């Protein structure tokens, strides 16, 4: 019954590693997103993906790359992880850029 | 620079009182406005959306929008301890139609 799901829930890794976070939605939505919430709880858009159109927040380093195998999935790949990448990453989905529904989040800790 | 500003709080109200949460935004072209509730360690949960000037009521929640003043608010009537959470204001704007979040207001409802 989970509408937006993410795996893993927790991810602990060393600096310099490459990791991926997976997201799936079963709401039939056509748009998916990745957000980063930092230690001060500020929630910031990283990417939105709609009908194969990727919109990237210009502040996101190119070490981050979203990949969407189909409309129901949007994965986030992170290369060469840095300490500052530690945060909670949320996936979300919506229909036509309207009301967005969030997944449970992935807490990434880079050591 | 699109900005969404909220008083960070904390805001404390006694049980049964009305909690008033405020938000201002800088982009006059903003199209849609949302309130999310986020419990500690959980993901943001959509509680209200509003698109046109005036009030919108849903149960104990009332969202108010004034586009001329670039102001949106959320009233919670008959506040309950279970309403204690961080409330995030979010504004949809721009050609990329991305959500910009405020930093959130932490609400505590005292029994």
């Amino acid at each position: 019954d989970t509408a937006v799901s993410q795996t893993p829930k927790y991810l602990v890794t060393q600096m310099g590693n490459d990791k991926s976070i997976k997201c799936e939605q079963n709401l039939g939505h056509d748009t998916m997103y990745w957000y980063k919430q930092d230690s001060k709880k500020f929630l910031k858009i990283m990417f939105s993906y709609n009908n194969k159109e990727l919109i990237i927040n210009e502040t996101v380093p190119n070490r981050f790359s979203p990949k969407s195998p189909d409309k129901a999935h949007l994965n986030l790949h992170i290369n060469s992880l840095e300490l500052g990448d530690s945060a909670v990453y949320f996936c979300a989905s919506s229909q036509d850029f309207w009301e967005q529904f969030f997944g449970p989040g992935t807490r990434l800790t880079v050591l | 620079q699109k900005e969404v500003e909220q008083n960070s709080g904390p805001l404390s109200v006694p049980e049964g009182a009305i909690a008033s949460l405020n938000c201002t935004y800088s982009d006059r072209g903003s199209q849609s406005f949302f309130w999310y509730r986020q419990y500690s360690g959980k993901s943001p949960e959509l509680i209200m959306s509003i698109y046109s000037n005036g009030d919108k009521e849903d149960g104990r929640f009332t969202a108010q929008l004034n586009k001329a003043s670039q102001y949106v608010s959320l009233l919670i009537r008959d506040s309950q301890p279970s309403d204690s959470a961080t409330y995030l204001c979010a504004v949809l704007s721009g050609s990329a139609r991305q959500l910009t979040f405020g930093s959130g207001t932490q609400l505590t409802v005292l029994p």
Side-chain angles (χ1 to χ4, degrees), chain A residues 37 55 90 98-100 103, chain B residues 32 36 38 43 49 97-98:
Chain A
Q37 189 168 45
I55 301 172
F90 288 103
W98 295 115
E99 298 174 341
Q100 294 184 21
Chain B
S32 306
Y36 284 83
Q38 187 174 24
S43 60
S49 56
R97 301 181 72 180
Q98 292 187 337

Side-chain angles (χ1 to χ4, degrees), chain A residues 1-2 6-7 18 20 31 55 61 67-68 88 92 97-98 111:
Chain A
D1 287 325
T2 304
Q6 295 178 228
T7 55
D18 302 337
S20 295
T31 308
I55 301 172
K67 287 185 170 54
S68 179
V88 180
F97 295 99
W98 295 115
L111 303 176

Side-chain angles (χ1 to χ4, degrees), chain A residues 55-80:
Chain A
I55 301 172
I56 303 171
N57 185 311
E58 60 191 13
T59 66
V60 176
N62 58 15
R63 298 181 295 103
F64 291 79
S65 58
K67 287 185 170 54
S68 179
D70 54 58
K71 280 175 55 173
H73 298 84
L74 183 64
N75 303 324
L76 181 65
H77 297 270
I78 316 170
N79 295 324
S80 303

Side-chain angles (χ1 to χ4, degrees), chain B residues 37-87:
Chain B
R37 177 176 62 198
Q38 187 174 24
Y39 292 113
S40 181
K42 300 295 185 182
S43 60
E45 174 192 6
L46 180 66
I47 54 172
M48 288 290 284
S49 56
I50 187 166
Y51 309 112
S52 54
N53 280 330
D55 295 0
K56 179 181 178 182
E57 186 174 319
D58 183 0
R60 296 186 297 112
F61 298 101
T62 299
Q64 299 174 318
L65 175 62
N66 183 326
K67 288 187 178 180
S69 301
Q70 295 175 242
Y71 175 88
V72 58
S73 65
L74 179 71
L75 300 177
I76 306 174
R77 289 182 301 281
D78 188 24
S79 295
Q80 301 296 310
S82 59
D83 295 326
S84 298
T86 297
Y87 288 81

Side-chain angles (χ1 to χ4, degrees), chain B residues 13-16 79-82 84 108-111:
Chain B
V13 299
E15 185 174 355
S79 295
Q80 301 296 310
S82 59
S84 298
T108 300
V109 180
L110 303 169

Side-chain angles (χ1 to χ4, degrees), chain A residues 33 35 37 40-43 45 47-48 55-57 90 96-105 107, chain B residues 31-32 34 36 38 41-46 49 51 56 88 92 95-103:
Chain A
Y33 311 81
Y35 286 87
Q37 189 168 45
K40 295 184 179 179
K41 307 301 183 185
F42 190 64
L43 193 61
I45 182 74
F47 305 100
S48 60
I55 301 172
I56 303 171
N57 185 311
F90 288 103
D96 293 334
F97 295 99
W98 295 115
E99 298 174 341
Q100 294 184 21
F101 297 90
F102 283 75
R107 182 173 295 276
Chain B
Q31 303 143 354
S32 306
F34 306 90
Y36 284 83
Q38 187 174 24
K42 300 295 185 182
S43 60
E45 174 192 6
L46 180 66
S49 56
Y51 309 112
K56 179 181 178 182
L88 301 168
L92 185 71
S95 57
R97 301 181 72 180
Q98 292 187 337
L99 271 186
T100 301
F101 281 82
S103 57

